[in-house]
Amino acid sequence: MRWSKTLIPTLKEVPADAEVISHKLLVRAGYIRQISRGIYDYFPLALKVIRKIETIVRQEMDRAGAQELLLPISSPAELWQESGRWEYYGKELLRFKDRHERDFCLGPTHEELITDLVRRSVRSYRELPINLYQVQTKFRDEVRPRFGLMRGREFIMKDAYSFHTTVEDCRREYDNMYQAYKRIFTRCGLSFRPVEADTGAIGGSLSHEFQVLAESGEDAIVSCDQCEYAANVEKAEVKGKPPAARDISEELPKLEKVATPGKKTVPEVAEFLKLGANKFIKTLVYKTDSGDLIAALVRGDHEINELKLRTMLGCREVTLADEAAVTAATGVVTGYIGPIGLSLRVVADLSVHGMRGAVTGANEANTHYVDIDQERDFTPSAFADLRLAVAGDPCPRCESGKLQSHRGIEVGQVFYLGTKYSEKMGATYLDAEGREQPIEMGCYGIGISRMVAAAVEQNNDANGIIWPLAIAPFQVLVLPINYKEDKLRDAGEKLYRDLQRAGVEVLLDDRDERAGVKFKDADLVGIPLRVTIGAKGLDKGFFELRSRRDGKTEEVPVGEAVKVITEKIAQAVQG
RNA sequence: CGGGGCGUGGCGCAGCCUGGUAGCGCGCACGCUUGGGGUGCGUGAGGUCGCCGGUUCAAAUCCGGCCGCCCCGACCA
C-alpha cells in the first residue's frame, strides 16, 4: 500500500486521556481513536494487525480440529434466562428492547447461544466431540473500561466451545486447546505465561489463563522459581504450616487487655505496641450475598483473598461490611473487633492457626488483647487457605521453590465447564445404549483486540511501536528520502513493485515530506523492516536496510534487496 | 456507585481566582525556502468556550443542574 493513500493520522502530541503506553502509541501512531469510553475506531493499520492475529488464531484453531462458525451479536433474553445469567450477569450485560418490547442483550460471551445451537443440531454420541469457534465483537458494559484496547467495553474475541461425551475427552480437548494457545501466542511473538486461574462468572472447575508479562498488566500473578507452577494471585494456593509443637513445660503469658486509644489499623496498633504486623490477627467482617455477617481472620501482615473466602463460604459475593452494620451486629466499633467472645461466625486463614503471643481487638472500644494463644483462647469454626499469596511464599507444588510475583495481561483463557450449561439448557445426546446424557463442555477465549495492546506494551521504545514481524501491519516500509527526486522515487517504486511481486507485505512512503518527518512516522508506526533509499547510497548502488527493533542498518546492493529481505522475513517467521 | 481531576478551533494547552475585544504552540491551506531524524519565513481558514438554566447592562469567567471524558477504589473470563 501507499502511505499517501492510506489513512494514518499520526499525532505529534500525546493524547491527554491516555495512560498506558500502548494506548498512547496506538493513538499517536494512527491505529485507533476513542469514540466513547471503552469503544474505539480501528484505522486501517490497526485492522491489518487484527487480521494478522486472527489469521494465526484461525490457522491454529483449524489445525487443532476446531471449526469456525458465526453466532449473532444480539440474542433474546430467553436464552439467558434459561442459564440463569440474565439475572446473574448484572449490569455488565448490555440490554435493550426491540420494537415489540422484547428483551435482548449484546453478547458478552456466547455459552448460551452455542449451547442452544448444539442442543438443536446434535443428537447422537456419534456426532461428538465437536469444537466450534468464532471471531467476533463482544460487548461488556464494564464498570471501568480503561487503558485503551486493554479493557474495552466493545472488543474482538475468539471464543471456542467444545462438546464431549465424557469428562476424559473434554480434558483431552482442554489440553489440546492449551497447546494450540501456546502455539498461537508464540507465533504472535508475545512473551507469555500460562497460569492457573479462577473460573469466575463463566463457571466450571478447571481453568488456565495465558498472561502476557507486562508491568502495566492488570493481573497479579505468581510463579515458582523452581518448578512450572504459576497462578493468578486470585487463585494461587498458599501452603499452610501446621502449628509448632507445644512445649508443655513452657509458661505462656496470660491473656491481657491493653488500652490502645484511637489506634485502629494494624499498622497503627503495631507502631503503638512496638510489635511487628505478623504478631497481629486481623479481623475483617464480611457480608455475604445472603446478608449474613461473618468474621474472617488473617495474620496482620497478610491480606484476605476474597475469592477464596467466597469459595469457602459457598457464596457468590462477599463484601466488606460497612461500619454501621458491624457495630449494629457486634456492639463494637470497627478497629477493635477480635475473635475472642465475638458473636459472629468466625473463619480463619491457616496463618492464624496456632499463633501465640498474638494481638487482636478485644471487642471493646480502644482496647486490644495481647499475648493471645490461639489454641487456648479461641477456636474459629474453620481454618482454611484464605489469604492472598505473596512473593516469597513457599511453592504449593514443589519442595524448595519460592513464589515470585509479576504483572500480566490476560490474553486468553481456557475453561473446563463440565455440564453446567448443558444441564440447565437441556443440551443432551443419546449414548450407545440410547440413554440421554448431558454434554460435557469446555470453552476457550482469546482477546484479539487486547492482544494488540499487549503486543505494544511488550514491544516499544521511546520512538514508538516495534511490532513483532508476525503481526505487524506491514513487514517492510520502503522509504525514499525525497520523493521529488526522480531517481529516488523510481527506485522506490520499483522496489515496492518487486517486493509485492515477491509476496512481501510492503508499505511505500510516497509522501512528499521531509526525511525527518518520514523517519519519525516510521519509528512511531513500528514496521519491523525499513528500506531507506537515499541519493548517497543509490549512487553507490545500495539501499539501507534497517531493523526497527535494534536500529541496526546494513547496506544492501540494489539488485539483491528483494532476495535479502525475503530471506530475512523467512528466517524471522521460522525463528 | 464512592473519592479526585478535566471539558476553550483537528491535537496539546493558556485565559476563569479579579465578568467587558477568545489567545498560544502544533496541525491544516497557499506561496517562497529547505531537502538524511518533526526546516525556516510569510499569508490564511478554522471556535454556539460540553449542554441547559440563573445572576448581571454584560458570562469562557460567578451560581445551580445535567452530560461527557480521565485517574484511584469497588467490579471483571
Side-chain angles (χ1 to χ4, degrees), chain A residues 525-539:
Chain A
V525 160
I527 294 166
L529 293 170
R530 185 180 94 195
V531 182
T532 312
I533 303 177
K536 290 174 215 154
L538 200 57
D539 287 344

Side-chain angles (χ1 to χ4, degrees), chain A residues 47 245 248 256 299 369 406 419 484 516:
Chain A
L47 187 60
I248 308 292
E256 216 180 318
R299 209 173 75 187
Y369 276 123
H406 321 265
T419 56
K484 278 185 177 153

Side-chain angles (χ1 to χ4, degrees), chain A residues 240-247 250 252 278-281 297 299 348-358 371-380 382-383:
Chain A
K241 289 194 297 264
R246 302 189 81 87
D247 182 350
E250 187 187 347
L252 288 169
N278 63 350
K279 301 305 285 181
F280 284 73
I281 298 170
L297 308 182
R299 209 173 75 187
D349 178 63
L350 298 170
S351 60
V352 172
H353 199 178
M355 279 179 80
R356 290 172 211 162
D371 287 327
I372 294 165
D373 178 343
Q374 181 266 312
E375 287 171 309
R376 178 190 67 194
D377 299 324
F378 70 93
T379 309
F383 281 108

Side-chain angles (χ1 to χ4, degrees), chain A residues 542-547 551-556 564 568:
Chain A
F542 60 78
F543 299 142
E544 289 163 41
L545 181 60
R546 180 185 164 103
S547 154
K552 280 191 190 140
T553 305
E554 55 183 295
E555 297 180 346
V556 180
V564 171
K568 257 190 199 304

Side-chain angles (χ1 to χ4, degrees), chain A residues 469 475-476 504 528-530 545-547 550 552-554 556 561-575:
Chain A
L469 186 70
Q475 295 166 326
V476 180
V504 176
L529 293 170
R530 185 180 94 195
L545 181 60
R546 180 185 164 103
S547 154
D550 56 24
K552 280 191 190 140
T553 305
E554 55 183 295
V556 180
V562 173
K563 182 166 152 269
V564 171
I565 289 164
T566 49
E567 275 169 8
K568 257 190 199 304
I569 289 170
Q571 196 186 336
V573 167
Q574 267 185 353

Side-chain angles (χ1 to χ4, degrees), chain A residues 340-390:
Chain A
I340 302 175
L342 189 66
S343 55
L344 301 173
R345 178 179 171 204
V346 175
V347 296
D349 178 63
L350 298 170
S351 60
V352 172
H353 199 178
M355 279 179 80
R356 290 172 211 162
V359 181
T360 193
N363 293 320
E364 85 186 57
N366 303 316
T367 313
H368 279 77
Y369 276 123
V370 297
D371 287 327
I372 294 165
D373 178 343
Q374 181 266 312
E375 287 171 309
R376 178 190 67 194
D377 299 324
F378 70 93
T379 309
S381 67
F383 281 108
D385 169 17
L386 293 178
R387 76 168 169 89
L388 227 38
V390 293

